[in-house]
Amino acid sequence: MKSSAPGKIILFGEHAVVYGRPALAVPVAQVSVEVEARESNRPGVWIYAPKIGLRAELRELPPDHPIGSVVTNVFATLNLPLPTDGLEINIHSTIPVAAGLGSGAAVSVALTRALAKFLQRSLSDEEVNRLVYEIEKLYHGTPSGIDNTVITYAKPVYFIKGKPGETFSVGKPFTLVIGDTGIQALTREAVADVRRQWLKDTSRFEGLFNEIAQLSLIARRSIESGRPDMLGELMDHNHWLLQEMNVSSPELDRLVHAARDAGANGAKLSGGGRGGNMIALAEKEKAEAVSQALLAAGAKQTLITEVK
Ligand code: PMV
């Protein structure tokens, strides 16, 4: 039984979302995870994920291993004992790891659904989302829940922590160029660092978060009403606010500037920051030139994706 899940990218509101402000994220279908769960002759539950060098029997994994935990949680939620006869799980992913593209959440979503199918049980999207959020805590400490929500529903999401995500429609498709710095940065460290700064300088940081919240709100309206051309300026503003929070980096700033110089309408870092990805808004016909400019400025890879 196979199931797949897309990657994701945050458009607006990263970090502020941890403090109750809204954020926007969209699925990225160009990259994905595919999971197959099937019977095998080998006793036990064998998990193969070549990309991360995982080749193990479930019971050999530490109890807080995120992938092992998905398997045990799905069986527990469905009130089923873990199988002792052969179950083989194959995980194939084209989503870069630790780059802000949601690879961990996508593995969890695809694996949860593949197991449910294999067990001939159905899980609602809400149940999948809830299960995967628990696993996100193992990856990220105190995640807002935006990754699991956008990847579970595979639709653009307006997200406020602690509330069900609101999916929304795109009035007019628009093109994003995603540039990867190639630097693997841990989201939990950037989140912890923002918390330290917020504790020291709470009123300033609350002000920054409030400005970001306004940008997320206006951006959602622009996307829904078919005015994606307004997003560029909002992205530039959001990037500046993230710089103020010290979560950008010289590499991210270089890519953001290169994208703007190559004709992008706006650009910002996306996700935890310090490394990982940035995004640029570009007219469809300029996207390839922006992508080339990002590679020339040091991006390790780029993706062009249409949000629709
Ligand atoms: O680096 P990513 O794409 O997983 O995004 C992290 C987003 C934060 O707002 C920084 C953290 C969170 O849990 O929402």
Side-chain angles (χ1 to χ4, degrees), residues 7-8 33 93 95-108 139 147 151:
K8 74 100 209 342
V33 172
S93 174
I95 308 181
V97 175
L101 285 167
S103 75
V107 167
S108 301
Y139 282 109
D147 279 26
I151 291 171

Side-chain angles (χ1 to χ4, degrees), residues 83-139:
T84 42
D85 45 351
L87 166 59
E88 182 181 310
I89 294 166
N90 290 297
I91 303 174
H92 286 286
S93 174
T94 57
I95 308 181
V97 175
L101 285 167
S103 75
V107 167
S108 301
V109 168
L111 176 53
T112 299
R113 290 197 174 128
L115 284 172
K117 269 193 205 166
F118 174 79
L119 296 165
Q120 296 182 330
R121 297 292 184 95
S122 69
L123 286 173
S124 66
D125 287 347
E126 289 69 31
E127 284 170 307
V128 172
N129 198 22
R130 196 160 0 96
L131 271 165
V132 174
Y133 181 58
E134 291 309 310
I135 305 302
E136 285 291 285
K137 292 181 187 166
L138 301 175
Y139 282 109

Side-chain angles (χ1 to χ4, degrees), residues 25 46 72 75 118 125 136 145 177 180 186 218 259 267 282:
W46 286 86
T72 40
F75 277 89
F118 174 79
D125 287 347
E136 285 291 285
V177 186
D180 185 356
L186 288 177
I218 303 169

Side-chain angles (χ1 to χ4, degrees), residues 8 10 13-18 100-102 140 142-147 187 191 270-273:
K8 74 100 209 342
I10 295 182
E14 49 275 273
H15 287 291
V17 69
V18 177
L101 285 167
H140 297 308
T142 53
S144 62
I146 192 168
D147 279 26
T187 292
V191 168
S270 172

Side-chain angles (χ1 to χ4, degrees), residues 68-80:
S69 299
V70 173
V71 180
T72 40
N73 289 6
V74 169
F75 277 89
T77 302
L78 297 173
N79 286 317
L80 293 170

